[in-house]
Each structure stands twice: as structure tokens, then as C-alpha cells.
Amino acid sequence: MSNVHQPCHIVVVGAGIGGLTLALGLAKQGFQVRVFEQSKALSEVGAGLQLSPNAMKVLRSLGLDTALESHSFAPEYACIRDYKSGSYYLRSPLGQEVINRYGAPYWHVHRGDLHAELVQACYANDVDIELDHKVLGYRNERNGASILLEGKTEWADLLIGADGIHSKIRELMLGIEAPLFTGQVAWRGTVPVNAIKNVQVQPDATVWAGPNQHVVTYYLKGGELINFVAVEERAEWLQESWRQEGDVKDLRQKFSGWHPEVTEILAACESSFVWALNSRPTLSKWSDGAVTLLGDACHPMLPFMAQGAAMAIEDAYVLANLLGKGSFSQAFNDYEAIRKPRVTAIQQLSRENAGLYHMHGGLTGQLKLKALSLASRYAPSIVHSKLDSVYGYDVTSLTL
């Protein structure tokens, strides 16, 4: 395999958040980067992202924070509230306090805005983004990998699969394996603030916890939109698309009787997408010769810590910087060794939060939330200890 100090051509498969962050980081390290995207147009789903301080430190290091600020909304608190009464189980300050504690802000951004800024930054750094490029196969060669596309074959020193939970690169590397349905389905949508009647939605990152269901609400685009994600438990789900349109009447019915801040948001919603929350077993390896994986392709995240995009962004920083410092094989080994414990811990926290938000265990589940309420009031260090390991982590300060 080639040495990093020689001219290097890298192909990244997937022009999502993780793939573009990686491409930008690699370009800043001096690599020639091509991004292969199977879609015929660059776009992102109309949904929100919570960019916690650990992700913001990476985006800041890449010079994107100033451009993103104009698109962002800074929530005042991170909250867990009761689905009916609206009472607070947790109300932890964000804003300036989170900057003081973790050294970076906590912002809400529209996924499309972050994607657009990444695309622009990639073009400014001479990254080639090539659309309608569907990868069908790859083969490790003596000094790189040959990549089979529809109608042609390309070659690269390195091939990196950042192509999501349904990753073709992972499938080619490790074989076909169906995703594991978690028993939960999520609805998502955005609503203009001026379309919401009768209530004032609080300017917070809010989880509304209820029996076997929960809803997340927060502002986007400087306060012009409200983003929601509504999760319910189901016995089965056969569709795998992120873009399956749901029936908003069905959505409203499933969450009827909830707090007015929730029901009024859903009443103003004109369309919603619905998708299954899937997971995958821990992979036996992330790399194969000149090929490695990134983000949901190797460690899909449930959304209950709002860390899916953040973990892909962290992956991208670590991998780009390791490739800039040593041999490719060593970089791949170090990348997995550094990232796997981190993402596995976040995956576990996300699974635990699913039970908390859905009051699993009936009365016991409600008592856990009440205990959290007491801890947040009288022993905030307990709450901070959980969040510090997530938000306080700084990949930009690691010795790579």
C-alpha cells in the first residue's frame, strides 16, 4: 500500500455529512479527494440536527463555525418534560454555560444548511463531488483499490465508505446482513413558527417523555422553524426508506392528549416522513486492505443522544488527521482503535435513553424520571458526569 507522503488519490463514497466532512479534512491535509454520490442531485433531508460542543470543535477546526452561525439557533436549556403535564424532569442550562463548560457552543441547524456549507467548503478546497456514481464493487490491488461503477472502473489509493446504514461498501467488505429493527419508528418534520397557534413553544432542546413514545422539539433557522421527531414503539416494520411519507392524521392521532406544545406543533404539520430505527451488530472489522468505513456505515446510532452526525464528524477528523501523519495501514488500525470504544459507549447511552424516554417498566420508569428530576436539582454533578463524557470529548486535542 502507498505511503502517505506520496501523492495520494482518495475516493469517499457518500456525500452526506460524514463523507463531506471527511473529504474536506482530507483536502486540507493535501490529498486529492473525489466523492462518489449515487444520487443525481446534492440534497439533504429536511430535518434538524443538534450540533453539540464535541461536534462543533471539529467544525470550528475546519473553519465552518462562522458560516454556520448565521443558520443556527442556540437553545436555552436541554429539557426532559412530562408528555401530559409538561412538568420538568430535567432542565439543564445550555447557551453561555455550555460554552464555559465545554469550550464550544450547542447549536441547532437545519441538516440542509450544514450540508450546503460543507459542499461549498469542499469545492473551495478542490474536492471533486461526482454525482450519479453508484458503486457496485471493489477489489484490493497491490497499491490501492479498483472501484467498479455502472459502466466503468475507477482506481484509488484509498476507498472510504461513508454511505450510511445501508452501506454498499460494508456489504462488499463483510457480506449482506439485514439491519436489526429496534421495535421503534420515528416521524420527523418541520413547521413554521408562525403556523403554530395558541401556544408558545419554549426555546429549548426538549424531550417529551411518555409511555412507549417520546417527542423531541427544537427551533431551527434562527427561530423560524420548529423541528420535531416523534418516536413510537411498533411490533414490526418492513420499509427501510428515510423518505417514506407518513399520514399526518395518523401521527396526530398517535400523540393526541399530549401537552399542547406537542399537539399544536403536530396540528400545524402538513407533511411528515416516517422511518424505522434500525441497528446492526458490532462489526468484526472496519477496514479491508485499502478500504475502510466511517459513520453509520460502521456504527449506526439511535437518535436518543442526538449524536449520530456528531460521531461521523468526529470519525472524519480522526481519520483525516491520521492519514496525514503515517502509513495507511497504521492509520486505519489506529482509527478503529481510537473510535470504536467511543462510538460503542455512545451507542449504549442511546439505548439506555430509549427506555428512559419511554418510561419502560411502568411505575418504575416514572420513578427513574423523578429521580433524575431530583438529581438535576440537588446533585447536578450526577447529570454533568453523564454529559461531560459526551460533550466534553475533544478529538481536536487528541495526540494522533
Side-chain angles (χ1 to χ4, degrees):
M1 203 179 298
S2 303
N3 184 277
V4 73
H5 298 297
Q6 297 172 340
C8 181
H9 165 216
I10 299 178
V11 166
V12 177
V13 179
I17 301 300
L20 292 178
T21 304
L22 175 64
L24 178 58
L26 290 169
K28 286 180 175 289
Q29 292 286 333
F31 294 106
Q32 178 191 352
V33 187
R34 299 169 72 190
V35 178
F36 290 173
E37 169 56 46
Q38 67 176 350
S39 300
K40 295 182 179 181
L42 282 173
S43 64
E44 262 293 349
V45 295
L49 282 176
Q50 299 188 54
L51 293 177
S52 50
N54 51 304
M56 285 304 308
K57 289 169 186 174
V58 174
L59 297 174
R60 182 173 61 197
S61 76
L62 293 172
L64 292 170
D65 53 327
T66 300
L68 283 174
E69 187 169 12
S70 63
H71 303 296
S72 71
F73 182 87
E76 294 183 8
Y77 292 90
C79 303
I80 302 177
R81 299 178 65 181
D82 186 79
Y83 75 110
K84 273 193 174 181
S85 70
S87 59
Y88 287 85
Y89 297 114
L90 173 71
R91 193 167 184 255
S92 181
L94 296 174
Q96 188 59 47
E97 290 201 31
V98 84
I99 295 173
N100 294 342
R101 188 173 186 88
Y102 301 118
Y106 193 115
W107 285 349
H108 296 156
V109 301
H110 194 284
R111 198 176 189 101
D113 290 334
L114 174 57
H115 189 263
E117 294 294 347
L118 281 166
V119 169
Q120 184 174 337
C122 281
Y123 284 144
N125 285 270
D126 299 322
V127 173
D128 291 326
I129 302 176
E130 302 177 44
L131 306 178
D132 198 17
H133 276 50
K134 185 176 182 179
V135 175
L136 302 178
Y138 75 79
R139 182 172 62 199
N140 275 301
E141 308 283 2
R142 182 173 177 272
N143 291 310
S146 56
I147 307 161
L148 177 64
L149 304 170
E150 292 180 327
K152 63 179 178 179
T153 299
E154 299 280 359
W155 183 90
D157 289 295
L158 298 175
L159 173 65
I160 299 167
D163 49 342
I165 190 171
H166 303 299
S167 170
K168 181 66 176 180
I169 304 302
R170 183 195 60 243
E171 177 185 306
L172 293 166
M173 183 187 297
L174 296 168
I176 297 173
E177 188 173 57
L180 303 174
F181 178 49
T182 64
Q184 298 173 95
V185 171
W187 306 69
R188 68 168 185 268
T190 57
V191 176
V193 170
N194 60 17
I196 298 171
K197 311 300 181 185
N198 306 316
V199 299
Q200 175 68 43
V201 178
Q202 296 302 303
D204 304 321
T206 302
V207 175
W208 302 86
N212 304 316
Q213 295 173 300
H214 81 275
V215 177
V216 177
T217 58
Y218 55 87
Y219 282 85
L220 294 174
K221 288 187 174 289
E224 295 178 6
L225 295 179
I226 290 179
N227 185 85
F228 72 84
V229 180
V231 178
E232 57 165 318
E233 296 182 5
R234 290 192 189 180
E236 61 180 17
W237 185 259
L238 301 178
Q239 302 297 322
E240 293 190 15
S241 172
W242 273 71
R243 296 176 181 268
Q244 179 178 333
E245 187 138 6
D247 183 341
V248 292
K249 292 181 181 177
D250 186 30
L251 170 63
R252 293 173 190 138
Q253 188 276 327
K254 290 177 181 295
F255 292 88
S256 65
W258 282 49
H259 190 274
E261 285 188 45
V262 174
T263 57
E264 290 298 319
I265 290 172
L266 300 184
C269 176
E270 296 183 353
S271 65
S272 176
F273 291 99
V274 59
W275 80 102
L277 298 181
N278 291 318
S279 65
R280 290 188 180 275
T282 301
L283 302 186
S284 58
K285 62 180 182 178
W286 288 9
S287 301
D288 171 34
V291 185
T292 196
L293 303 170
L294 180 141
D296 279 353
C298 51
H299 53 73
M301 291 279 161
L302 294 174
F304 307 135
M305 280 294 295
Q307 286 293 304
M311 290 301 101
I313 289 168
E314 287 185 3
D315 283 355
Y317 182 90
V318 171
L319 182 55
N321 281 270
L322 286 171
L323 288 171
K325 294 180 183 300
S327 72
F328 297 147
S329 57
Q330 187 62 50
F332 283 179
N333 290 337
D334 291 346
Y335 163 63
E336 183 173 345
I338 291 168
R339 296 301 300 156
K340 203 168 194 177
R342 165 76 168 163
V343 299
T344 300
I346 301 297
Q347 286 174 318
Q348 180 59 34
L349 286 173
S350 296
R351 286 191 290 268
E352 292 171 0
N353 276 355
L356 183 70
Y357 296 166
H358 290 190
M359 298 180 176
H360 285 174
L363 179 60
T364 301
Q366 294 180 43
L367 289 174
K368 286 181 181 178
L369 284 166
K370 290 178 180 177
L372 177 62
S373 176
L374 291 172
S376 66
R377 262 188 266 173
Y378 302 111
S381 60
I382 295 175
V383 177
H384 287 149
S385 66
K386 183 175 182 179
L387 296 179
D388 286 352
S389 66
V390 181
Y391 301 159
Y393 190 87
D394 182 3
V395 293
T396 69
S397 69
L398 296 179
T399 302
L400 299 174

